[in-house]
Amino acid sequence: MGHRKMKVLVVGGGGREHALAWKIGQSPRIDRVFVAPGNAGTASESNLPIENVQIADSDIPKLVEFAKKNAIDLAVIGPEAPLAAGISDALVTAGIRVFGPSKQAAELEASKVFCKNLLRHADVPTADFRTFRDVESARAFLVDREDSAMVVKADGLAGGKGVIVCTNREEAIEAVERIGASKEFGEAGNQLVIEERLVGQEASILAITDGRSLVTMPAAQDHKPAHDGDKGPNTGGMGAYSPTPLVTEDMLRSIEAKVLVPTVHQLKRMRRPFKGVLYAGLMITKQGVKVLEYNARFGDPECQPLMMRLQSDLLDLLEATADERLEELPDLLWDPRPAVCVVMASEGYPGSYTTGHAIRGLAEAAAVAEAKVFHAGTALRDGQVITTGGRVLGVTALGSSIANAKLQAYTAVKCIRWEGAWCRTDISDKAQH
Ligand code: AMP
Ligand code: GLY
C-alpha cells in the first residue's frame, strides 16, 4: 500500500451513494471523492473533499473516460443497473480498479432464474420454485397444482416491482398474465419464476466479498411497503435500521455458513467470481432462514444506518476487496449503538409525484444530536435544495437503544418541510415485538 492519497469515483446519485461518499470522504487516505451524478447532499459536504460530476450513472463510456482522465484509483458502483450493464468490466478493461461485481456475477441480482438455479445447485435454503419461458406453460403449471399461496416474479430487473405476492391460484394466473403477456415490466418478464409463498419476518444481511473471503456486516431490516404497519404498495424502501434483534449472533454465523459462503463458492466454481456487496434478502420462517433474493450491491436505505455505525476505514475495505486481499484486513469495528434511517418521500410516491419543491429546515435537522441527513432525490437550484425524486431524504440517527435512535431520527425529520413531504412513522418498531 502506497502513501499517495486516493481519488475515488462513486457512481450513483441516491441516499446510498451519499452515505458511501460521506464515509469514504472521511478516510485519512482520501484525496478526492467524485460522485456521478450525486445529489444536493454530496454537493454540500463542505467539510469533506467531495464533488459532483455531471455524468449519468447509466453513461458507461463517459464514466470510463472520466475515470481515465482523472486517474481514478478506485471506482465504487452504487446501483444495480450499471452493474448489470457491465460497468465493472468496462472500467477494469480500461485499467481502473473497481468495487462492484462483473456483469456475469451481477446476474445474481439481474436474473431471478439464474439466482434460483444457483441457490438450488449450492444447496442454499430458498422457497421451492419452478421457472418458465412462456406464459402457457406457467399457466398450465398453476392450473394443475393445488390452489395455494404463491409468488410470481419477473426474471429481470424491475426496480423492486416485478414481484407479485398472491394468496391463491386465480391471483397467480393473473400475475403471470401481467408479467408474461402484458409485459408490465417489459423484457424483465421474458422469463418467470413461480415459487411457494413464505411466511415470516424479513432481514437484510449484507456481506463484502472479494470472491474468496467474506466479511459479514451487522444485520439490518428494511421497510418496503409504503405505509405504517407494512400496508400499501411496495417501494424501494421507506426506512431501515441496524442491528436488528430478529437476527441473533448465532443466526448470523449460521447464515454465513449455510447461505453466504456456499453462494460465494458456487459463483467461483461457475467462473463468475463475485467482488463487491453480496446482499441476501432473507425470510426468517419457522422452518429456518430462507433466501428471497440476492442483490449485488449495498441496499438503499440499509446502507445509511450501516455507514453511520461503521468505525473502520471504508476505503481500506473497498480497496482490499478490489485487490482480492480481504483476508488480510483486520476485523471491522462497528459502533455498538443502533442506527435508524427514516426515508422522507414526495407526495404520491411510489406512484407519480411532482418535483421541484424547495426543502426547508435542513440546517435545523443537522443540528439534532447524532443525526445525519442523507440526500437521495435532491438537487441544488439557485443555491436552494429542491426535490427531484420519489425518495428524497434518508434521515438517520444513532441512539443508545433502537427506541432512542428512532426518537432522534424523527426529531430531525420534524425539522424538515416541503410541500407534500411524508414518511412512515413506525420505522424500527418491528424490533420491539
Ligand atoms: P424480492 O425482490 O424477490 O426480494 O421480492 C420483493 C418482496 O416480495 C420481498 O421483500 C418479500 O416481501 C416478497 N417476497 C418475495 N418472495 C417471496 C416469497 N417466496 N414468499 C413471500 N414473500 C415473498
Ligand atoms: N432496500 C432494498 C434494496 O436496496 O433493494
Side-chain angles (χ1 to χ4, degrees), residues 16 222 224 236-237 279 293 295 297-302 391:
R16 162 184 50 211
D222 189 10
K224 284 193 178 112
Y279 163 157
E293 65 160 349
N295 293 321
R297 50 168 175 84
F298 281 101
D300 188 339
E302 293 94 323
R391 292 193 294 171

Side-chain angles (χ1 to χ4, degrees), residues 14-21 78-80 297-300 303-304 375:
R16 162 184 50 211
E17 289 77 21
H18 186 191
L20 292 172
E80 61 275 21
R297 50 168 175 84
F298 281 101
D300 188 339
C303 185
Q304 290 82 317
H375 290 226

Side-chain angles (χ1 to χ4, degrees), residues 112 127 151 153 163 165 195-198 202 224 234 283 292-293:
K112 292 196 189 288
V151 181
K153 303 183 175 186
V163 172
V165 179
E195 64 184 37
E196 63 169 326
R197 181 170 168 183
L198 304 173
E202 289 180 50
K224 284 193 178 112
N234 261 335
M283 185 81 93
L292 292 175
E293 65 160 349

Side-chain angles (χ1 to χ4, degrees), residues 78-91:
E80 61 275 21
L83 290 168
I87 192 172
S88 293
D89 311 76
L91 285 162

Side-chain angles (χ1 to χ4, degrees), residues 20-282:
L20 292 172
W22 171 77
K23 190 68 194 162
I24 294 167
Q26 294 171 48
S27 169
R29 297 171 52 229
I30 198 69
D31 173 11
R32 206 136 199 94
V33 189
F34 299 96
V35 192
N39 54 39
T42 50
S44 312
E45 289 289 355
S46 43
N47 296 323
L48 298 172
I50 301 177
E51 72 183 75
N52 287 353
V53 178
Q54 289 320 308
I55 306 175
D57 59 16
S58 54
D59 195 342
I60 296 177
K62 276 229 178 75
L63 291 167
V64 171
E65 186 192 310
F66 176 87
K68 284 205 288 194
K69 251 198 199 135
N70 292 277
I72 293 298
D73 298 291
L74 181 70
V76 179
I77 317 302
E80 61 275 21
L83 290 168
I87 192 172
S88 293
D89 311 76
L91 285 162
V92 167
T93 302
I96 309 291
R97 285 192 299 178
V98 185
F99 178 89
S102 66
K103 179 178 175 148
Q104 283 217 318
E107 221 179 322
L108 195 61
E109 171 169 6
S111 167
K112 292 196 189 288
V113 170
F114 175 83
C115 176
K116 294 293 292 194
N117 286 324
L118 180 139
L119 292 170
R120 185 177 272 166
H121 282 126
D123 215 7
V124 173
T126 189
D128 274 340
F129 72 100
R130 289 274 305 267
T131 66
F132 299 93
R133 289 180 176 281
D134 61 274
V135 176
E136 290 69 36
S137 50
R139 197 189 294 117
F141 165 77
L142 289 170
V143 169
D144 282 349
R145 248 183 82 102
E146 65 174 300
D147 195 359
S148 66
M150 271 173 282
V151 181
V152 183
K153 303 183 175 186
D155 172 55
L157 293 179
K161 297 188 186 95
V163 172
I164 304 179
V165 179
C166 308
T167 52
N168 57 38
R169 178 195 289 151
E170 202 180 322
E171 283 179 28
I173 291 175
E174 196 195 311
V176 164
E177 301 291 337
R178 284 172 58 192
I179 296 173
S182 314
K183 289 281 162 76
E184 228 169 84
F185 310 104
E187 300 281 292
N190 286 353
Q191 291 192 73
L192 297 167
V193 174
I194 301 181
E195 64 184 37
E196 63 169 326
R197 181 170 168 183
L198 304 173
V199 180
Q201 283 271 10
E202 289 180 50
S204 306
I205 305 296
L206 285 74
I208 308 274
T209 175
D210 60 3
R212 296 183 296 206
S213 324
L214 183 106
V215 177
T216 306
M217 292 183 265
Q221 196 174 34
D222 189 10
H223 296 66
K224 284 193 178 112
H227 305 306
D228 284 10
D230 280 348
K231 302 281 190 310
N234 261 335
T235 69
M238 294 302 298
Y241 67 99
S242 170
T244 169
L246 292 166
V247 180
T248 61
E249 202 51 39
D250 279 354
M251 267 166 85
L252 202 54
R253 297 286 85 83
S254 151
I255 290 163
E256 228 166 45
K258 294 192 179 127
V259 173
L260 301 171
V261 168
T263 301
V264 168
H265 285 164
Q266 182 65 21
L267 283 159
K268 192 162 166 248
R269 269 199 296 278
M270 295 171 83
R271 297 186 196 285
R272 298 179 188 227
F274 191 104
K275 271 197 225 180
V277 180
L278 188 61
Y279 163 157
L282 302 173

Side-chain angles (χ1 to χ4, degrees), residues 10 90 127 175 200 243 252 292 366 424 432:
V10 174
L252 202 54
L292 292 175
R424 275 180 67 156
Q432 322 292 341

